[in-house]
């Protein structure tokens, strides 16, 4: 007499157990890789946004006649802050509108924008204090910075 195919054997139960262990190992590995990609992607996005803001400031330098005038420097800084505010690098408590995020950037003492007389615009942002995605266990850089220089 042959065994019934619907009857569960000891070997079938063991194979189901091994499949569950393999699934758990593969899933945990994929989750770690996904976690790393999201963390790295957030830092990379913030770095690109900061570099773009510095480039926007350097572009604004072209319309300035006197690079030592404080009004012109304030105008260039305003353009850099506006660029940063539209890129959503600020934390959620900074506000939901672009104007609120811009005010947060301008009043945060750790966000610095320097404009050199040679056309060099440098932006420094405290990323570790204000990450885009707060993920536990991520070794985020303490500061991100970008610089751009206007040249003809």
């Amino acid at each position: 007499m042959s065994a019934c195919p619907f009857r569960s054997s000891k070997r079938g139960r063991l194979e189901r157990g091994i499949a569950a262990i393999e699934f758990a190992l593969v899933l945990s590995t994929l989750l770690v890789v996904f976690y790393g990609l999201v963390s790295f992607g957030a830092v990379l996005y913030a770095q690109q946004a900061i570099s773009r803001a510095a480039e926007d400031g350097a572009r604004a330098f072209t319309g300035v006649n006197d690079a030592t005038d404080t009004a012109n420097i304030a105008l260039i800084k305003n353009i850099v802050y506006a660029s940063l505010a539209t890129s959503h690098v600020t934390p959620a408590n900074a506000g939901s509108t672009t104007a609120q995020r811009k005010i947060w950037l301008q009043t945060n003492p750790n966000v610095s924008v320097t404009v050199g007389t040679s056309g060099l615009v440098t932006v420094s942002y405290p990323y570790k204090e204000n990450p885009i995605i707060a993920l536990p266990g991520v070794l985020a850089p303490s500061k991100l910075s970008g610089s751009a220089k206007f040249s003809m």
Side-chain angles (χ1 to χ4, degrees), residues 35-43 127-128 131 133-141:
Y35 186 78
L37 284 172
V38 168
S39 303
F40 180 74
V43 173
Y127 185 78
K128 193 164 193 144
I133 301 172
L135 299 173
V138 174
L139 298 174

Side-chain angles (χ1 to χ4, degrees), residues 77-78 81 84-85 90-91 93-95 99-113 125-126 129-130:
K77 286 184 177 184
N78 193 28
Y81 288 130
L84 281 174
T90 58
N93 63 357
Q100 291 170 332
R101 289 190 298 268
K102 184 177 173 188
I103 291 169
W104 183 88
L105 287 162
Q106 290 171 328
T107 57
N108 189 331
N110 295 326
V111 177
S112 70
V113 178
Y125 183 80
E129 297 171 13
N130 310 298

Side-chain angles (χ1 to χ4, degrees), residues 60-69 72-73 75-76:
F61 200 85
T62 60
V64 173
N65 295 333
D66 183 13
T68 59
D69 185 21
N72 289 336
I73 292 173
L75 175 71
I76 292 171

Side-chain angles (χ1 to χ4, degrees), residues 20-98:
I21 291 171
E22 288 174 351
F23 175 74
L25 291 173
V26 169
L27 181 66
S28 63
T29 303
L30 287 175
L31 287 177
V32 167
V33 168
F34 181 72
Y35 186 78
L37 284 172
V38 168
S39 303
F40 180 74
V43 173
L44 183 64
Y45 172 77
Q47 178 62 50
Q48 291 297 320
I50 291 164
S51 295
R52 185 182 64 239
E55 291 169 5
D56 290 344
R59 252 185 247 103
F61 200 85
T62 60
V64 173
N65 295 333
D66 183 13
T68 59
D69 185 21
T70 55
N72 289 336
I73 292 173
L75 175 71
I76 292 171
K77 286 184 177 184
N78 193 28
I79 290 170
V80 170
Y81 288 130
S83 179
L84 281 174
T86 58
S87 63
H88 300 283
V89 295
T90 58
N93 63 357
S96 59
T97 66
T98 304

